[in-house]
Amino acid sequence: MWQWAWVLLGYLLGSVSSAVIVCRLWGLPDPRTTGSRNPGATNVLRVGNKQAAAVTLLGDVLKGLIPVLLARWAGADQTVVAATGLAAFLGHLYPVFFGFQGGKGVATALGVLTGLHWGVGLLLAATWLAVARVSRISSLSALTAAALSPFYVYWLVGDVRTVAVVTVMAGLLFWRHRENIRRLLRGEEDRIRT
Ligand code: G3P
């Protein structure tokens, strides 16, 4: 029963918005009110700089990775480990510390999935980079990686409940990208400028 404390820890850690904190520290505009209004690394790069974006990315990955690894190392069963990852992801989308106005979950999902199996994280990062290299569109890269994530998890983790949880995460990620998807369909999505 105590194992479910990992789920609570996951949600609380996921609720810490790296983008908002980094932008405050760097003296940058609030990412929730400028650019795409998304508190994520892509928007911090857009309204700020590469260094701030890299720290945001790292923070968002770690808050997904750490609770999942801790739950695994503590010997929690696979369902609790997967639920801990989902909770961290939901914390990023609906953060209790930031009025439940969160981000789209890409970096946190990467952290969660890397915690579930490092090979899945590697495949997702490679997918994101390959699509970004060709398209230079962050959202398209994330959507492609998210669509493939249940297959990667099925292949490397194999546990059906974990695949179900990851499929829910991918569905939520698509839902949070609905404005990006509309822009992609209109050919108006912003490209990564470095
Ligand atoms: O990580 C979020 C990314 O997929 C899209 O971000 O700011 O372009 O909406 P943004």
Side-chain angles (χ1 to χ4, degrees):
M1 192 64 207
W2 65 269
Q3 292 192 50
W4 291 91
W6 294 117
V7 178
L8 180 63
L9 176 77
Y11 176 70
L12 293 176
L13 264 180
S15 288
V16 178
S17 176
S18 313
V20 175
I21 294 168
V22 165
C23 283
R24 271 184 206 158
L25 291 174
W26 258 259
L28 295 167
D30 189 325
R32 295 167 300 180
T33 53
T34 41
S36 67
R37 299 195 177 86
N38 182 51
T42 303
N43 202 31
V44 172
L45 177 65
R46 192 178 285 124
V47 304
N49 57 62
K50 278 187 200 172
Q51 200 187 24
V55 177
T56 301
L57 178 66
L58 183 67
D60 282 348
V61 169
L62 286 178
K63 73 185 189 181
L65 179 66
I66 289 170
V68 171
L69 284 184
L70 288 176
R72 278 183 62 188
W73 290 338
D77 72 48
Q78 184 63 26
T79 306
V80 173
V81 171
T84 299
L86 177 63
F89 179 74
L90 288 174
H92 181 80
L93 266 55
Y94 307 103
V96 65
F97 307 127
F98 294 88
F100 300 99
Q101 306 295 314
K104 296 174 183 172
V106 178
T108 304
L110 176 64
V112 167
L113 290 162
T114 304
L116 289 173
H117 193 297
W118 64 270
V120 173
L122 213 61
L123 283 171
L124 291 172
T127 304
W128 193 99
L129 286 169
V131 180
R133 195 179 163 87
V134 174
S135 68
R136 304 200 65 76
I137 302 177
S138 176
S139 60
L140 183 64
S141 312
L143 289 165
T144 308
L148 292 171
S149 61
F151 300 101
Y152 293 159
V153 172
Y154 182 70
W155 181 32
L156 292 175
V157 180
D159 173 65
V160 177
R161 282 166 300 180
T162 306
V163 175
V165 166
V166 170
T167 305
V168 169
M169 282 172 57
L172 284 166
L173 191 143
F174 265 72
W175 171 249
R176 297 292 279 195
H177 279 79
R178 57 196 184 280
E179 290 298 326
N180 302 80
I181 293 168
R182 285 191 199 108
R183 284 195 294 274
L184 282 167
L185 292 173
R186 292 198 302 263
E188 293 171 1
E189 183 65 318
D190 198 24
R191 282 171 202 273
I192 301 166
R193 285 176 290 264
T194 50

